[in-house]
Amino acid sequence: MELKLLAVAILLPAISAVLCYLFRKASIRNVIVVATALIMFFVAGAFVKILFDNGGKITIELHDFAAMSTELAIKLLDLLLFIYFIFIGVKLKKPLIVGLTFLQLIPLLIFEFIIRPHELERAFVIDYLSLIMILLVSIIGPIITIFAIGYMKEHEHHLHLKKTRQPRFFIILFIFLGAMNGLVMTNNILWLYFFWEVTTLCSFLLISHDGNELSIKNATRALLINMAGGVAFILGIIAIYKVKQTLAIDEIASVKSLADVGTILPLGLGLLCFAGFTKSAQFPFQSWLLGAMVAPTPVSAMLHSSTMVKAGVYLIVRLAPAYYGTTLAKVIAVVGGFTFLAGSAIAISQSNGKRVLAYSTIANLGLIVCCAGLGNPIALGAAILLIIFHAVSKGLLFLCMGTIEQGIGSRDIEDMQGLMKRMPFTAVITVIGMISMLLPPFGVLISKWLAIEASVDRSPVVLILVVLGSAFTVVFWAKWIGIVLTMSYKTKIPGEKLSFSVRSALSVLFVGVLACSIGIAPLFNKLIMPQIQSFQIGGDFIEGINGGLWLNGGTLGGFGIVYFFIVVFLVMLLVPLFMKKAKPETMKTPYLCGENTSDTRGIDFISPADKVDQVIVRNYYLSGVFGENNLTLWVNIVAGAIILIMFGVVI
């Protein structure tokens, strides 16, 4: 049963991709997309049941013919993958792509055919962390593909395409999902490397989907940065194998792996973490994720929520017990903490909604890396919680952003004034999505609180980085929320027309955001706590009790999240009652430093030369302090220096 589910989770998306290519009619393709999504939901649910029935771990061994066939197939696909990378480099006339391909291919061939590693029987091991990732990939990913049905139709209409490119689009999306499932399920680090590189290729193809000069340029940059990470990945595998003589991820990630070896294993782990930095867009590798914003919004949602960047932090968190308590861990915590601070600071200066979301993602990924570096049970709990809550909330926000962009024709935050009147359904969900990244009782804030708690006694530097970064996130989310909630004096709010696929995707993710936060206690106790216990790292612990999360059974404080939600619910009931009592005639028009007109909205005034002007209210973006052009070079230099120090301490 487990093997069949595994095969479906990895191969079904690939089969659906082929069907999307063969059946070009939109109605048939839509049925394939929805059917695949439903099957993936079922597969994710089945994995939950089997994992609990098996005591928290599923081990799938491949014997004899199946093992040899799978191993051979992955080697052949690896080779085809690198040949295709070379083709891309030649086609784009980018010798650096060809060079990076050979820098991966040559060590891989030496490792495979000269060193000849011992292959694993326990090819796939699924534990709670893998299960969490499976749920994110197999639930959020398909929801995004359903959203894409309605979005891509409108997107291609705006591009005036004569021939649809949707078959290609959905093919790559599905292969992406299958590769991610393989990546988080395999226990063979060489196979993980293969799936890792498949996601690199898929991201390149998706970012360049529109085929214009800018999209190809940004996709190429993403490919180069991630291929640099791929070089580090294969070198890290070889270094680790030289010491541990195993490809098994669970053995590599065992607690205190560094305690009994010389310098090569720390170097190997450092190289793997470097690969994770590139994949998760840590500074100074953030530019590829920012450039990826040129892609259609479902691609952005996929990259930011359930795939690609999550692969990077998954690897770093997975290896956390191996480097726990070492100097390497301390530097990793600083790398993540600095990225959290820098990403949050630059986001303040952004008025493009997608770029705000992108910097927010980079910042939160940095916080996850930071927690992995801190490595104690509280920090690891915060890291895994943040993986979950960030995926759900950011998936929702990107889909909202795409809907808004198609609705008002702009990504600029300032153009979203009065959005509540024009797109009330989307506006409400967007605001709640942003609040879920910012305020209690939602899980992202709880994760930040845990990160601060975890760093108090371990690293004053990290503590300062996390506190400042958290403060900056309040600034950029609060001003965006204020713009969206801006209302005129006209109270009539029209309905909003959305396609069924778009509305249903937004609604399901919105429910997911609420459900995860309300159910944070059982979520933590059932899925996260057992994983942290399996890491076998002692220290203060988190427990889900009394409807929230508490430290050491409540002796060190906590959040009773359910009570917060009860208060929020009461406020939501009472505010409309008070609003009804606020009569329009009691509202006063603002004083505009000039003579007001008869305009009852209060936005027209008589300026010098008796000209009637309108009041324009804009947010502060503090570009002189937090401007992208001012900060990027310097934060890249600092981040690069920290990473060099990291390698300095492991060599």
Coordinates of all heavy atoms in Angstrom, one line a residue, residues 148-225:
A148 N -5.1 28.4 -11.2 CA -4.5 28.7 -12.5 C -5.4 28.5 -13.7 O -5.3 29.2 -14.7 CB -3.2 27.9 -12.7
I149 N -6.4 27.7 -13.5 CA -7.4 27.5 -14.6 C -8.0 28.8 -15.0 O -8.1 29.2 -16.2 CB -8.5 26.4 -14.2 CG1 -7.8 25.0 -14.0 CG2 -9.6 26.4 -15.3 CD1 -8.8 24.0 -13.4
G150 N -8.6 29.5 -14.0 CA -9.2 30.8 -14.3 C -8.2 31.9 -14.6 O -8.4 32.7 -15.4
Y151 N -7.1 31.9 -13.8 CA -6.1 32.9 -13.9 C -5.5 32.9 -15.3 O -5.3 34.0 -15.9 CB -5.1 32.8 -12.9 CG -4.0 33.9 -12.9 CD1 -4.1 35.1 -12.2 CD2 -2.8 33.7 -13.7 CE1 -3.1 36.0 -12.3 CE2 -1.9 34.7 -13.8 CZ -2.0 35.8 -13.1 OH -1.1 36.8 -13.2
M152 N -5.0 31.8 -15.8 CA -4.2 31.7 -17.0 C -5.1 32.1 -18.2 O -4.6 32.7 -19.2 CB -3.6 30.3 -17.2 CG -2.5 30.0 -16.2 SD -1.2 31.2 -16.2 CE -0.4 31.0 -17.8
K153 N -6.4 31.8 -18.2 CA -7.3 32.2 -19.3 C -7.3 33.8 -19.4 O -7.1 34.3 -20.5 CB -8.7 31.7 -19.0 CG -9.7 32.0 -20.1 CD -11.1 31.5 -19.7 CE -12.1 31.9 -20.8 NZ -13.4 31.4 -20.5
E154 N -7.4 34.4 -18.3 CA -7.4 35.9 -18.3 C -6.0 36.4 -18.6 O -5.9 37.4 -19.3 CB -7.8 36.4 -16.9 CG -8.1 37.9 -16.8 CD -9.3 38.3 -17.5 OE1 -10.2 37.5 -17.8 OE2 -9.4 39.5 -17.8
H155 N -5.0 35.8 -18.1 CA -3.6 36.2 -18.3 C -3.3 36.1 -19.8 O -2.7 37.1 -20.4 CB -2.6 35.2 -17.6 CG -1.2 35.5 -17.7 ND1 -0.6 36.6 -17.1 CD2 -0.2 34.9 -18.5 CE1 0.7 36.6 -17.4 NE2 1.0 35.6 -18.3
E156 N -3.6 35.1 -20.5 CA -3.4 35.0 -21.9 C -4.2 35.9 -22.8 O -3.8 36.4 -23.8 CB -3.6 33.5 -22.4 CG -2.6 32.6 -21.8 CD -2.6 31.2 -22.4 OE1 -3.6 30.9 -23.1 OE2 -1.6 30.5 -22.3
H157 N -5.4 36.2 -22.2 CA -6.2 37.2 -22.9 C -5.5 38.6 -22.9 O -5.5 39.3 -24.0 CB -7.6 37.3 -22.2 CG -8.5 38.4 -22.7 ND1 -9.1 38.4 -23.9 CD2 -8.8 39.6 -22.2 CE1 -9.8 39.5 -24.1 NE2 -9.6 40.3 -23.1
H158 N -4.9 39.0 -21.8 CA -4.2 40.2 -21.7 C -2.9 40.2 -22.6 O -2.5 41.3 -23.1 CB -3.8 40.5 -20.3 CG -4.9 41.0 -19.4 ND1 -5.6 42.1 -19.7 CD2 -5.5 40.4 -18.3 CE1 -6.6 42.2 -18.8 NE2 -6.5 41.2 -17.9
L159 N -2.3 39.1 -22.8 CA -1.1 39.0 -23.6 C -1.4 38.9 -25.1 O -0.5 38.9 -26.0 CB -0.3 37.7 -23.2 CG 0.3 37.7 -21.8 CD1 1.1 36.4 -21.6 CD2 1.3 38.9 -21.7
H160 N -2.7 38.7 -25.4 CA -3.2 38.6 -26.8 C -2.5 37.5 -27.6 O -2.0 37.6 -28.7 CB -2.9 39.9 -27.6 CG -3.5 41.1 -26.9 ND1 -4.9 41.3 -26.8 CD2 -2.9 42.2 -26.3 CE1 -5.1 42.5 -26.1 NE2 -3.9 43.0 -25.8
L161 N -2.4 36.3 -26.9 CA -1.8 35.2 -27.5 C -2.7 34.6 -28.6 O -3.9 34.5 -28.4 CB -1.4 34.1 -26.5 CG -0.4 34.5 -25.4 CD1 -0.1 33.2 -24.5 CD2 0.9 34.9 -26.1
K162 N -2.1 34.2 -29.7 CA -2.9 33.6 -30.8 C -3.1 32.1 -30.5 O -4.0 31.5 -30.9 CB -2.3 33.8 -32.1 CG -2.3 35.3 -32.6 CD -1.6 35.4 -33.9 CE -1.6 36.9 -34.3 NZ -0.9 37.1 -35.6
K163 N -2.1 31.5 -29.8 CA -2.1 30.1 -29.5 C -1.8 29.9 -28.0 O -0.8 30.4 -27.5 CB -1.1 29.3 -30.3 CG -1.2 27.8 -30.2 CD -0.2 27.2 -31.1 CE -0.2 25.6 -30.8 NZ 0.8 25.0 -31.7
T164 N -2.7 29.2 -27.3 CA -2.5 29.1 -25.9 C -1.2 28.3 -25.6 O -0.8 27.4 -26.3 CB -3.7 28.3 -25.3 OG1 -3.4 28.2 -23.9 CG2 -3.9 26.9 -25.9
R165 N -0.6 28.7 -24.4 CA 0.6 28.0 -24.0 C 0.3 27.2 -22.7 O 1.2 26.8 -21.9 CB 1.7 29.0 -23.7 CG 2.1 29.8 -25.0 CD 3.3 30.6 -24.8 NE 4.5 29.8 -24.8 CZ 5.7 30.1 -24.2 NH1 5.8 31.3 -23.6 NH2 6.7 29.3 -24.3
Q166 N -1.0 27.1 -22.4 CA -1.4 26.5 -21.1 C -0.9 25.0 -21.0 O -0.6 24.5 -19.9 CB -2.9 26.6 -20.9 CG -3.3 28.0 -20.6 CD -4.7 28.1 -20.1 OE1 -5.2 27.4 -19.3 NE2 -5.4 29.1 -20.7
P167 N -1.0 24.2 -22.1 CA -0.5 22.8 -21.9 C 0.9 22.7 -21.4 O 1.2 22.0 -20.5 CB -0.6 22.2 -23.4 CG -1.7 23.0 -24.0 CD -1.6 24.4 -23.4
R168 N 1.8 23.5 -21.9 CA 3.2 23.6 -21.4 C 3.2 24.0 -20.0 O 3.9 23.4 -19.2 CB 4.0 24.6 -22.3 CG 5.4 24.8 -21.8 CD 6.0 25.9 -22.6 NE 7.4 26.2 -22.3 CZ 7.8 26.9 -21.3 NH1 6.9 27.5 -20.5 NH2 9.1 27.1 -21.0
F169 N 2.4 25.0 -19.7 CA 2.4 25.6 -18.3 C 2.0 24.5 -17.3 O 2.7 24.3 -16.3 CB 1.4 26.7 -18.3 CG 1.3 27.4 -16.9 CD1 2.3 28.3 -16.5 CD2 0.2 27.1 -16.1 CE1 2.2 29.0 -15.3 CE2 0.2 27.8 -14.8 CZ 1.1 28.7 -14.5
F170 N 0.9 23.8 -17.6 CA 0.4 22.8 -16.6 C 1.3 21.6 -16.5 O 1.5 20.9 -15.5 CB -1.0 22.4 -16.9 CG -2.0 23.4 -16.5 CD1 -2.6 24.3 -17.4 CD2 -2.4 23.5 -15.1 CE1 -3.5 25.2 -17.0 CE2 -3.3 24.5 -14.7 CZ -3.9 25.3 -15.6
I171 N 2.0 21.2 -17.7 CA 2.9 20.1 -17.6 C 4.0 20.4 -16.6 O 4.4 19.5 -15.8 CB 3.6 20.0 -19.0 CG1 2.6 19.3 -20.0 CG2 4.8 19.1 -19.0 CD1 3.0 19.3 -21.4
I172 N 4.6 21.6 -16.7 CA 5.7 21.9 -15.8 C 5.2 22.0 -14.3 O 5.9 21.5 -13.4 CB 6.4 23.2 -16.2 CG1 6.9 23.1 -17.7 CG2 7.6 23.5 -15.3 CD1 7.3 24.4 -18.3
L173 N 4.1 22.6 -14.1 CA 3.5 22.6 -12.8 C 3.4 21.3 -12.1 O 3.8 21.0 -11.0 CB 2.2 23.3 -12.8 CG 2.1 24.8 -12.7 CD1 0.6 25.3 -12.5 CD2 3.0 25.5 -11.7
F174 N 2.9 20.3 -12.9 CA 2.7 19.0 -12.3 C 4.0 18.3 -12.1 O 4.2 17.6 -11.1 CB 1.8 18.2 -13.3 CG 0.3 18.5 -13.1 CD1 -0.5 18.8 -14.2 CD2 -0.3 18.5 -11.8 CE1 -1.8 19.1 -14.0 CE2 -1.6 18.8 -11.7 CZ -2.4 19.1 -12.8
I175 N 4.9 18.4 -13.0 CA 6.3 17.8 -12.8 C 6.9 18.4 -11.6 O 7.6 17.6 -10.8 CB 7.1 18.0 -14.1 CG1 6.6 17.2 -15.2 CG2 8.6 17.6 -13.8 CD1 7.3 17.4 -16.5
F176 N 6.7 19.7 -11.4 CA 7.3 20.3 -10.2 C 6.7 19.7 -8.9 O 7.5 19.4 -8.0 CB 6.8 21.8 -10.3 CG 7.8 22.8 -9.6 CD1 7.8 24.1 -10.0 CD2 8.6 22.4 -8.5 CE1 8.7 25.0 -9.4 CE2 9.4 23.2 -7.9 CZ 9.5 24.6 -8.3
L177 N 5.4 19.5 -8.9 CA 4.8 18.9 -7.7 C 5.3 17.4 -7.4 O 5.6 17.0 -6.3 CB 3.3 18.9 -7.8 CG 2.6 20.3 -7.8 CD1 1.1 20.2 -8.0 CD2 2.9 21.0 -6.6
G178 N 5.4 16.7 -8.5 CA 5.9 15.3 -8.4 C 7.3 15.3 -7.9 O 7.7 14.5 -7.0
A179 N 8.2 16.2 -8.4 CA 9.6 16.2 -7.9 C 9.7 16.6 -6.5 O 10.5 16.1 -5.7 CB 10.3 17.2 -8.8
M180 N 8.8 17.6 -6.1 CA 8.8 18.0 -4.6 C 8.4 16.8 -3.7 O 9.0 16.6 -2.7 CB 7.9 19.2 -4.4 CG 8.5 20.5 -4.8 SD 9.9 21.0 -3.8 CE 9.3 21.0 -2.1
N181 N 7.4 16.0 -4.1 CA 7.1 14.9 -3.3 C 8.2 13.9 -3.2 O 8.5 13.3 -2.2 CB 5.8 14.2 -3.9 CG 4.5 14.8 -3.4 OD1 4.5 15.3 -2.3 ND2 3.5 14.7 -4.2
G182 N 8.9 13.7 -4.4 CA 10.0 12.8 -4.3 C 11.2 13.3 -3.4 O 11.8 12.6 -2.7
L183 N 11.4 14.6 -3.5 CA 12.4 15.2 -2.7 C 12.2 15.1 -1.2 O 13.2 14.8 -0.5 CB 12.5 16.7 -3.1 CG 13.6 17.6 -2.6 CD1 13.9 18.7 -3.6 CD2 13.3 18.2 -1.2
V184 N 11.0 15.2 -0.7 CA 10.8 15.1 0.7 C 10.6 13.7 1.2 O 10.6 13.5 2.4 CB 9.6 16.0 1.1 CG1 9.8 17.4 0.7 CG2 8.3 15.5 0.5
M185 N 10.4 12.7 0.3 CA 10.2 11.4 0.7 C 11.4 10.5 0.7 O 11.6 9.6 1.5 CB 9.1 10.7 -0.2 CG 7.7 11.2 -0.1 SD 6.7 10.3 -1.2 CE 5.1 11.2 -1.0
T186 N 12.3 10.8 -0.2 CA 13.5 9.9 -0.3 C 14.4 10.0 0.9 O 14.6 11.1 1.5 CB 14.3 10.3 -1.6 OG1 15.3 9.3 -1.7 CG2 14.8 11.7 -1.6
N187 N 15.1 8.9 1.2 CA 16.1 8.9 2.2 C 17.5 8.8 1.6 O 18.5 8.7 2.4 CB 15.8 7.6 3.1 CG 16.7 7.6 4.4 OD1 16.8 8.7 5.0 ND2 17.3 6.5 4.7
N188 N 17.5 8.8 0.3 CA 18.8 8.7 -0.4 C 19.2 10.1 -0.8 O 18.5 10.7 -1.6 CB 18.7 7.8 -1.6 CG 20.0 7.5 -2.3 OD1 20.9 8.4 -2.3 ND2 20.1 6.4 -2.9
I189 N 20.3 10.6 -0.3 CA 20.6 12.0 -0.6 C 21.0 12.2 -2.0 O 20.9 13.3 -2.6 CB 21.8 12.5 0.4 CG1 21.8 14.0 0.4 CG2 23.1 11.9 0.0 CD1 22.5 14.6 1.5
L190 N 21.5 11.2 -2.7 CA 21.8 11.3 -4.1 C 20.5 11.4 -4.9 O 20.5 12.2 -5.9 CB 22.6 10.1 -4.6 CG 23.5 10.2 -5.8 CD1 24.5 11.4 -5.6 CD2 24.3 8.9 -6.0
W191 N 19.4 10.8 -4.5 CA 18.2 10.9 -5.2 C 17.5 12.3 -4.9 O 16.9 12.9 -5.7 CB 17.2 9.8 -4.8 CG 17.6 8.4 -5.3 CD1 18.8 8.1 -5.9 CD2 16.9 7.2 -5.1 NE1 18.9 6.8 -6.2 CE2 17.8 6.2 -5.7 CE3 15.7 6.8 -4.6 CZ2 17.4 4.8 -5.7 CZ3 15.3 5.5 -4.6 CH2 16.1 4.5 -5.2
L192 N 17.7 12.7 -3.6 CA 17.3 14.0 -3.2 C 17.9 15.1 -4.2 O 17.3 16.0 -4.6 CB 17.6 14.3 -1.8 CG 16.9 15.5 -1.2 CD1 16.7 15.4 0.4 CD2 17.7 16.8 -1.4
Y193 N 19.2 14.9 -4.4 CA 19.9 15.8 -5.3 C 19.3 15.8 -6.7 O 19.1 16.9 -7.3 CB 21.4 15.4 -5.4 CG 22.2 16.0 -6.4 CD1 22.5 17.3 -6.4 CD2 22.7 15.3 -7.5 CE1 23.3 17.9 -7.4 CE2 23.4 15.8 -8.5 CZ 23.7 17.2 -8.4 OH 24.5 17.7 -9.4
F194 N 18.9 14.6 -7.2 CA 18.2 14.6 -8.5 C 16.9 15.4 -8.5 O 16.7 16.2 -9.4 CB 17.9 13.1 -8.9 CG 17.0 13.0 -10.0 CD1 17.3 13.3 -11.3 CD2 15.7 12.5 -9.7 CE1 16.4 13.2 -12.3 CE2 14.7 12.4 -10.7 CZ 15.1 12.7 -12.0
F195 N 16.1 15.1 -7.5 CA 14.8 15.9 -7.5 C 15.0 17.4 -7.3 O 14.3 18.2 -7.8 CB 13.9 15.3 -6.3 CG 13.4 13.9 -6.6 CD1 13.7 12.9 -5.7 CD2 12.6 13.7 -7.6 CE1 13.2 11.6 -5.9 CE2 12.1 12.4 -7.9 CZ 12.4 11.4 -7.0
W196 N 16.1 17.7 -6.5 CA 16.5 19.1 -6.3 C 16.7 19.8 -7.6 O 16.3 20.9 -7.9 CB 17.7 19.0 -5.4 CG 18.3 20.3 -5.0 CD1 19.1 21.2 -5.7 CD2 18.2 20.9 -3.7 NE1 19.5 22.2 -4.9 CE2 18.9 22.1 -3.7 CE3 17.5 20.6 -2.5 CZ2 19.0 23.0 -2.6 CZ3 17.5 21.5 -1.4 CH2 18.3 22.6 -1.5
E197 N 17.5 19.1 -8.5 CA 17.8 19.7 -9.8 C 16.6 19.7 -10.7 O 16.5 20.6 -11.6 CB 19.0 18.9 -10.4 CG 20.3 19.2 -9.7 CD 20.7 20.7 -9.6 OE1 20.8 21.3 -10.7 OE2 20.7 21.2 -8.5
V198 N 15.7 18.8 -10.6 CA 14.5 18.9 -11.4 C 13.7 20.1 -11.0 O 13.2 20.8 -11.9 CB 13.6 17.6 -11.1 CG1 12.2 17.8 -11.8 CG2 14.3 16.4 -11.7
T199 N 13.6 20.4 -9.7 CA 12.9 21.7 -9.3 C 13.6 22.9 -9.9 O 13.0 23.9 -10.2 CB 12.8 21.8 -7.8 OG1 14.1 21.9 -7.2 CG2 12.0 20.6 -7.2
T200 N 15.0 22.8 -10.0 CA 15.7 24.0 -10.6 C 15.3 24.2 -12.0 O 15.0 25.3 -12.5 CB 17.2 23.7 -10.5 OG1 17.6 23.7 -9.1 CG2 18.0 24.8 -11.2
L201 N 15.2 23.1 -12.8 CA 14.8 23.2 -14.2 C 13.4 23.7 -14.3 O 13.1 24.5 -15.1 CB 14.9 21.8 -14.8 CG 14.5 21.7 -16.3 CD1 15.3 22.7 -17.2 CD2 14.5 20.3 -16.8
C202 N 12.5 23.1 -13.5 CA 11.1 23.5 -13.5 C 10.9 25.0 -13.2 O 10.1 25.7 -13.9 CB 10.2 22.7 -12.5 SG 10.0 21.0 -13.0
S203 N 11.7 25.5 -12.3 CA 11.5 26.9 -11.9 C 12.0 27.8 -13.1 O 11.4 28.8 -13.4 CB 12.3 27.3 -10.7 OG 13.7 27.0 -10.8
F204 N 13.1 27.3 -13.8 CA 13.6 28.1 -14.9 C 12.5 28.2 -16.0 O 12.2 29.2 -16.6 CB 14.8 27.4 -15.5 CG 15.2 27.9 -16.8 CD1 15.9 29.1 -17.0 CD2 14.9 27.2 -18.0 CE1 16.3 29.6 -18.2 CE2 15.3 27.7 -19.2 CZ 15.9 28.9 -19.4
L205 N 11.9 27.0 -16.3 CA 10.9 27.0 -17.4 C 9.6 27.8 -17.0 O 9.0 28.4 -17.9 CB 10.5 25.5 -17.6 CG 11.6 24.6 -18.2 CD1 11.2 23.2 -18.3 CD2 12.1 25.1 -19.6
L206 N 9.3 27.8 -15.7 CA 8.1 28.5 -15.3 C 8.3 30.0 -15.3 O 7.5 30.8 -15.7 CB 7.6 28.0 -13.9 CG 6.9 26.6 -13.9 CD1 6.7 26.2 -12.5 CD2 5.6 26.6 -14.7
I207 N 9.5 30.4 -14.8 CA 9.8 31.9 -14.7 C 9.8 32.4 -16.1 O 9.4 33.6 -16.4 CB 11.1 32.1 -14.0 CG1 10.9 31.7 -12.5 CG2 11.5 33.6 -14.0 CD1 12.2 31.6 -11.7
S208 N 10.4 31.7 -17.1 CA 10.5 32.1 -18.5 C 9.2 31.8 -19.3 O 9.3 32.0 -20.5 CB 11.7 31.5 -19.1 OG 11.5 30.1 -19.2
H209 N 8.2 31.5 -18.7 CA 7.0 31.0 -19.4 C 6.5 32.0 -20.4 O 6.1 31.6 -21.6 CB 5.8 30.7 -18.4 CG 4.6 30.2 -19.1 ND1 4.4 29.0 -19.7 CD2 3.4 30.9 -19.4 CE1 3.2 28.9 -20.2 NE2 2.6 30.1 -20.1
D210 N 6.4 33.3 -20.1 CA 5.9 34.2 -21.0 C 6.8 34.5 -22.2 O 6.3 35.1 -23.2 CB 5.6 35.6 -20.3 CG 4.3 35.5 -19.4 OD1 3.6 34.5 -19.6 OD2 4.1 36.3 -18.6
G211 N 8.0 34.1 -22.1 CA 8.9 34.1 -23.3 C 9.4 35.5 -23.7 O 10.0 35.6 -24.8
N212 N 9.2 36.5 -22.9 CA 9.7 37.8 -23.3 C 11.1 38.0 -22.7 O 11.6 37.2 -22.0 CB 8.8 39.0 -22.8 CG 8.5 38.9 -21.3 OD1 9.5 38.7 -20.5 ND2 7.3 39.0 -20.9
E213 N 11.7 39.1 -23.1 CA 13.2 39.3 -22.8 C 13.4 39.3 -21.3 O 14.4 38.7 -20.8 CB 13.7 40.6 -23.4 CG 15.1 40.8 -23.3 CD 15.6 42.1 -23.9 OE1 14.8 42.7 -24.7 OE2 16.8 42.5 -23.7
L214 N 12.5 40.0 -20.6 CA 12.7 40.1 -19.1 C 12.6 38.8 -18.4 O 13.3 38.4 -17.5 CB 11.7 41.2 -18.6 CG 11.8 41.4 -17.1 CD1 13.2 42.0 -16.7 CD2 10.7 42.4 -16.6
S215 N 11.5 38.0 -18.8 CA 11.3 36.8 -18.1 C 12.5 35.8 -18.4 O 12.9 35.1 -17.5 CB 10.0 36.2 -18.6 OG 10.0 35.8 -20.0
I216 N 13.0 35.8 -19.6 CA 14.1 34.9 -19.9 C 15.4 35.3 -19.1 O 16.1 34.5 -18.6 CB 14.4 34.9 -21.4 CG1 13.2 34.2 -22.1 CG2 15.7 34.1 -21.7 CD1 13.3 34.3 -23.6
K217 N 15.6 36.6 -19.1 CA 16.7 37.1 -18.3 C 16.6 36.7 -16.8 O 17.6 36.2 -16.3 CB 16.8 38.7 -18.4 CG 17.9 39.3 -17.6 CD 17.8 40.8 -17.7 CE 18.8 41.5 -16.8 NZ 18.6 43.0 -16.8
N218 N 15.5 36.9 -16.2 CA 15.3 36.6 -14.8 C 15.4 35.1 -14.6 O 15.9 34.6 -13.6 CB 14.0 37.2 -14.3 CG 14.1 38.7 -14.2 OD1 15.1 39.3 -14.4 ND2 13.0 39.3 -13.9
A219 N 14.8 34.3 -15.5 CA 14.8 32.9 -15.4 C 16.3 32.4 -15.5 O 16.7 31.4 -14.8 CB 14.0 32.2 -16.5
T220 N 17.1 33.0 -16.3 CA 18.5 32.6 -16.5 C 19.2 32.9 -15.2 O 20.1 32.1 -14.7 CB 19.1 33.4 -17.6 OG1 18.4 33.2 -18.8 CG2 20.6 33.0 -17.8
R221 N 19.0 34.0 -14.6 CA 19.6 34.3 -13.3 C 19.2 33.3 -12.2 O 20.1 32.9 -11.4 CB 19.2 35.8 -12.8 CG 19.9 36.1 -11.5 CD 19.8 37.6 -11.2 NE 18.4 38.1 -11.1 CZ 17.9 39.1 -11.7 NH1 18.7 39.8 -12.5 NH2 16.7 39.4 -11.6
A222 N 17.9 32.9 -12.2 CA 17.5 31.9 -11.2 C 18.2 30.6 -11.5 O 18.7 29.9 -10.5 CB 16.0 31.7 -11.3
L223 N 18.4 30.3 -12.7 CA 19.1 29.0 -13.1 C 20.5 29.0 -12.6 O 21.0 28.1 -12.0 CB 19.0 28.8 -14.6 CG 19.6 27.5 -15.1 CD1 18.9 26.3 -14.5 CD2 19.5 27.4 -16.6
L224 N 21.2 30.1 -12.9 CA 22.6 30.2 -12.5 C 22.8 30.1 -11.0 O 23.7 29.4 -10.6 CB 23.2 31.6 -13.1 CG 23.4 31.6 -14.6 CD1 23.7 33.1 -15.0 CD2 24.6 30.7 -15.0
I225 N 22.0 30.9 -10.3 CA 22.2 30.9 -8.8 C 21.9 29.5 -8.2 O 22.6 28.9 -7.4 CB 21.3 31.9 -8.2 CG1 21.8 33.3 -8.5 CG2 21.2 31.8 -6.6 CD1 20.9 34.5 -8.0

